[in-house]
Amino acid sequence: MGSSGTGLGSWSGSFGVFPPPRGPNPLVYFKELCLLDVNPQTGAVLTKKEEARELLVKVAKQLEPVMRRRGYTVACLSEGIPKVVEFTSMSTTRTILHGTNLNSGEMVMIRLRDPDDSTQFLPFCKVLETMAHELAHNIVGPHSPEFWSLHASIMKEATELKNKGVFGIGAFDCKVGGRVTGRDPFADSQAGPSSP
């Protein structure tokens, strides 16, 4: 599941810049959690880092039992702030990306903050749903019927555990870091770890 991360440079993109994951540990379902210190779109310093950390840890803890049962790992789970894409045709359509999964769990980035106000956070249920979506991409890449079935089963399991008050132990340390870069991982077909 995923590569060891050796020989890779830092990942940079519209989500920020992070060191490469150090490789999966079979006893750890999330090797590290990362938070952004600046908005990669605007360069503005992000506030409320403790709230961001608490939300990221809460989502990780909620999905840890699901991951354990299914054998899923994520080397690096990170806060992400992807670009909001607007298409203009007959009317303007706004597409808000909420997450991405690179290399089947090597790095998963999810949106924690409101796209219009980075001091406000998305509801826990939305962030949990996004993380369940990205976990399904550990197994199935395209948004096929198989993907949506897997996503629904992960979300159902996570919701049932949440309703029973069951969650993982989540002994996580969050790292804060990231610099703004112009590279958008969704802009080209070679999105992935880049050389230093």
Side-chain angles (χ1 to χ4, degrees), residues 59-160:
V59 167
K61 286 171 87 172
Q62 191 60 59
L63 283 163
E64 189 179 301
V66 175
M67 294 172 69
R68 183 181 324 116
R69 190 182 76 68
R70 293 170 181 259
Y72 297 173
T73 60
V74 171
C76 180
L77 174 59
S78 175
E79 173 182 25
I81 302 180
K83 293 178 181 174
V84 174
V85 180
E86 295 191 26
F87 301 97
T88 307
S89 58
M90 296 293 278
S91 63
T92 299
T93 303
R94 190 170 187 215
T95 301
I96 299 172
L97 183 67
H98 286 275
T100 191
N101 182 328
L102 302 171
N103 298 327
S104 300
E106 190 172 322
M107 176 178 275
V108 171
M109 294 173 274
I110 57 174
R111 179 185 291 279
L112 303 178
R113 298 170 191 262
D114 184 291
D116 297 317
D117 181 357
S118 65
T119 65
Q120 300 299 312
F121 292 89
L122 295 173
F124 174 73
C125 60
K126 177 60 187 165
V127 179
L128 182 66
E129 190 277 331
T130 299
M131 187 62 205
H133 179 106
E134 298 311 329
L135 280 178
H137 281 305
N138 272 19
I139 307 303
V140 181
H143 292 135
S144 63
E146 179 187 5
F147 170 86
W148 291 112
S149 175
L150 178 59
H151 170 260
S153 71
I154 292 169
M155 195 60 205
K156 179 180 182 217
E157 188 175 346
T159 302
E160 287 172 355

Side-chain angles (χ1 to χ4, degrees), residues 25-36:
N25 176 336
L27 303 176
V28 177
Y29 301 96
F30 294 99
K31 185 160 178 74
E32 64 183 343
L33 306 182
C34 297
L35 298 170
L36 293 176

